[in-house]
Amino acid sequence: MELKRLDKEELAALYRDEMMEDFPHSELKPLSAMLRLMDMGRYDPLLITQDGQAVGYAMLWLAGDRSGALLEYFGVLRGLRSAGQGSRILSMLSGRYGQLFGEAEAPCSHDPDINELRQRRIAFYERNGFRVLDYQCALFGVRFNCLYRGPEGDDRKVEALHRGIYAQYFSPAHMERYIQLPLRPDEAVKPAPEWVEEAFPPQGSGADRTQGG
């Protein structure tokens, strides 16, 4: 297997043809946000190929200090699933980035079928070396279980690294309004619209400091 970094046009085509089919609308951030992160040198949109043929994809939001990456979206192409491809891809990504953070929508729906699907997704990551962390998060009104694959065993240190990925991009005001990380056990998820971008990187924000990678 090989990893190919996509350009903007290739990412747009993959987003339209695969990701919009694979992920619920509530979980899928706008393409424009991914392109903005690419411009900042903070995003790796990867196509996974085998013998020259595409088999899957992975979208990774890089920590500002390159200490790890948030695996935002991951998928095996339709028709190639349930053949062990996903496990092999995750192993490759772990070797490339060292530390992988993940977020899987929490099984808290009133629909048991939806909860079963979410539980299967989390179990897949656990079988592939991820552990479920002792905190959850809520991003733009959606509750997630937090996952991690890497050498760090202290969840507080993982939490700080995880939060830092967002804090280096969004202003403190945006973080306060839309990013609950961690989400305390007794804390309600704040109602929020879908992903909201700030018009420009706020002066002196983490996004400004990491401009250009």
Side-chain angles (χ1 to χ4, degrees), residues 119-138:
Q119 288 165 344
R120 288 204 308 268
R121 185 182 298 172
I122 292 168
F124 165 76
Y125 283 104
E126 288 185 295
R127 290 196 303 272
N128 284 281
F130 286 78
R131 60 187 178 87
V132 179
L133 299 166
D134 66 2
Y135 65 92
Q136 292 183 320
C137 66

Side-chain angles (χ1 to χ4, degrees), residues 12-23:
L14 180 71
Y15 187 95
R16 179 191 64 240
D17 296 339
E18 297 291 338
M19 297 179 68
M20 291 181 69
E21 294 289 332
D22 290 344
F23 291 93

Side-chain angles (χ1 to χ4, degrees), residues 54-169:
V55 297
Y57 60 87
M59 304 290 128
L60 295 114
W61 186 342
L62 306 178
D65 61 359
R66 301 300 193 269
S67 61
L70 172 62
L71 180 59
E72 282 205 297
Y73 302 102
F74 167 67
V76 175
L77 300 190
R78 291 182 291 278
L80 300 174
R81 295 167 184 167
S82 303
Q85 301 279 27
S87 296
R88 289 191 286 275
I89 294 170
L90 287 176
S91 181
M92 289 181 66
L93 295 175
S94 180
R96 180 183 177 106
Y97 296 98
Q99 297 188 97
L100 290 177
F101 307 90
E103 298 156 352
E105 196 163 359
C108 57
S109 171
H110 296 297
D111 186 330
D113 292 335
I114 292 176
N115 284 337
E116 182 181 358
L117 175 63
R118 293 174 181 176
Q119 288 165 344
R120 288 204 308 268
R121 185 182 298 172
I122 292 168
F124 165 76
Y125 283 104
E126 288 185 295
R127 290 196 303 272
N128 284 281
F130 286 78
R131 60 187 178 87
V132 179
L133 299 166
D134 66 2
Y135 65 92
Q136 292 183 320
C137 66
L139 311 173
F140 297 96
V142 180
R143 180 188 293 265
F144 293 92
N145 281 6
C146 299
L147 310 168
Y148 175 77
R149 175 170 170 166
E152 181 56 66
D154 185 335
D155 282 14
R156 298 289 71 73
K157 292 181 179 178
V158 176
E159 177 190 312
L161 293 168
H162 185 183
R163 179 179 173 82
I165 291 175
Y166 291 102
Q168 291 163 350
Y169 181 71

Side-chain angles (χ1 to χ4, degrees), residues 1-2 47-56 77 80 85 89:
M1 284 186 175
E2 296 182 351
L47 185 72
I48 296 88
T49 64
Q50 184 170 8
D51 299 326
Q53 299 296 316
V55 297
L77 300 190
L80 300 174
Q85 301 279 27
I89 294 170

